[in-house]
């Protein structure tokens, strides 16, 4: 049994037919797929931030202390892990509306499949430059959306029409969550909860 990130590298419909036959328990999917996917981007962020510093338009890279980068990386990991589990639970909650499969392990597999391109794209964190990260993340996001629209009907045993609606609903939820997280981050940062960048 191979993990979801490895399976995503398969070509065409082989991916979804393979994942559709998987019968791993919820715990196995979380430990084998979700946990590593949530861990990889923070590790890349930590390495890039401590070795090269962030380039955010300033003349010199911005270096944060190791303690601060470690805390940010841990919060990043926690947000990803909780976000992946939360999205799977939301998908499971929406499933009756779209006549989809109700098994939570299937929903976790969908989330792991969709997250894999973004996790692969997070290798750009090794060179922490805003422009470089955007150049890598945008194609990864397109790949993820392709997998979402193809994967939901195939993995959750629903019609293509219902799958499209379910995938679109999930995208709306993710966009609202992203804007909310951005707003909360800005409010906290302006009230002193965050590292000083010295700009």
């Amino acid at each position: 049994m191979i993990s979801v990130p490895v399976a995503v590298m398969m070509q065409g419909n082989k991916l979804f037919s393979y994942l559709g036959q998987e019968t791993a328990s919820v715990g196995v999917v979380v430990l084998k797929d979700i946990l590593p996917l949530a861990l990889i981007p923070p590790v890349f962020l930590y390495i890039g931030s401590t070795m090269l510093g962030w380039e955010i338009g300033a003349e010199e890279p911005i270096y944060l202390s190791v303690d601060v980068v470690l805390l940010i990386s841990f919060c990043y990991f926690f947000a990803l892990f909780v976000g992946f589990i939360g999205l799977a639970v939301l998908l499971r909650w929406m499933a009756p509306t779209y006549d989809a499969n109700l098994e939570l392990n299937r929903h976790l597999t969908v989330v792991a499949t969709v997250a894999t391109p973004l996790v692969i794209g997070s290798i750009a964190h090794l060179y922490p430059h805003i422009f470089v990260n955007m150049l890598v993340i945008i194609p990864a996001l397109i790949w993820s959306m392709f997998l979402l629209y193809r994967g939901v009907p195939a993995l959750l045993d629903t019609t293509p029409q219902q799958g499209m609606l379910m995938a679109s609903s999930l995208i709306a939820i993710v966009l609202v969550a992203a804007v909310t997280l951005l707003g909360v981050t800005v409010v906290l940062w302006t009230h002193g909860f965050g590292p000083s960048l010295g700009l």
Side-chain angles (χ1 to χ4, degrees):
M1 182 169 71
I2 60 175
S3 65
V4 170
V6 174
V8 167
M9 306 312 267
M10 294 180 177
Q11 297 291 323
N13 291 329
K14 289 181 183 177
L15 165 68
F16 300 114
S17 62
Y18 168 78
L19 293 176
Q21 295 168 1
E22 285 290 295
T23 56
S25 67
V26 170
V28 170
V29 175
V30 169
L31 287 175
K32 192 174 172 192
D33 298 325
I34 300 294
L35 190 62
L37 289 174
L39 189 60
I40 291 169
V43 169
F44 286 155
L45 176 74
Y46 179 82
I47 294 169
S49 298
T50 54
M51 294 182 69
L52 298 174
W54 274 92
E55 295 183 32
I56 313 177
E59 293 181 8
E60 296 292 326
I62 297 170
Y63 290 94
L64 302 173
S65 69
V66 172
D67 292 343
V68 169
V69 175
L70 195 59
L71 178 62
I72 291 171
S73 298
F74 175 76
C75 292
Y76 189 13
F77 163 75
F78 182 76
L80 287 175
F81 186 75
V82 170
F84 292 158
I85 301 293
L87 285 176
V89 170
L90 276 170
L91 267 177
R92 166 62 182 79
W93 175 73
M94 290 190 297
T97 304
Y98 300 102
D99 297 322
N101 191 305
L102 298 177
E103 297 171 12
L104 183 58
N105 60 338
R106 287 288 190 100
H107 297 275
L108 286 165
T109 301
V110 168
V111 170
T113 303
V114 171
T116 297
L118 293 171
V119 171
I120 292 169
S122 73
I123 197 168
H125 290 344
L126 291 173
Y127 182 69
H129 188 286
I130 295 294
F131 184 69
V132 171
N133 276 255
M134 286 296 103
L135 278 180
V136 174
I137 292 299
I138 289 172
L141 189 59
I142 293 169
W143 184 12
S144 285
M145 290 179 67
F146 169 77
L147 290 175
L148 178 66
Y149 280 101
R150 289 288 300 274
V152 166
L155 295 175
L156 299 182
D157 302 323
T158 188
T159 64
Q161 294 81 9
Q162 295 280 66
M164 185 192 71
L165 292 172
M166 192 173 186
S168 299
S169 299
L170 185 65
I171 288 174
I173 291 168
V174 169
L175 288 175
V176 170
V179 171
T180 303
L181 183 61
L182 183 63
V184 168
T185 303
V186 169
V187 169
L188 289 175
W189 210 313
T190 55
H191 285 85
F193 296 96
S196 174
L197 299 180
L199 296 175

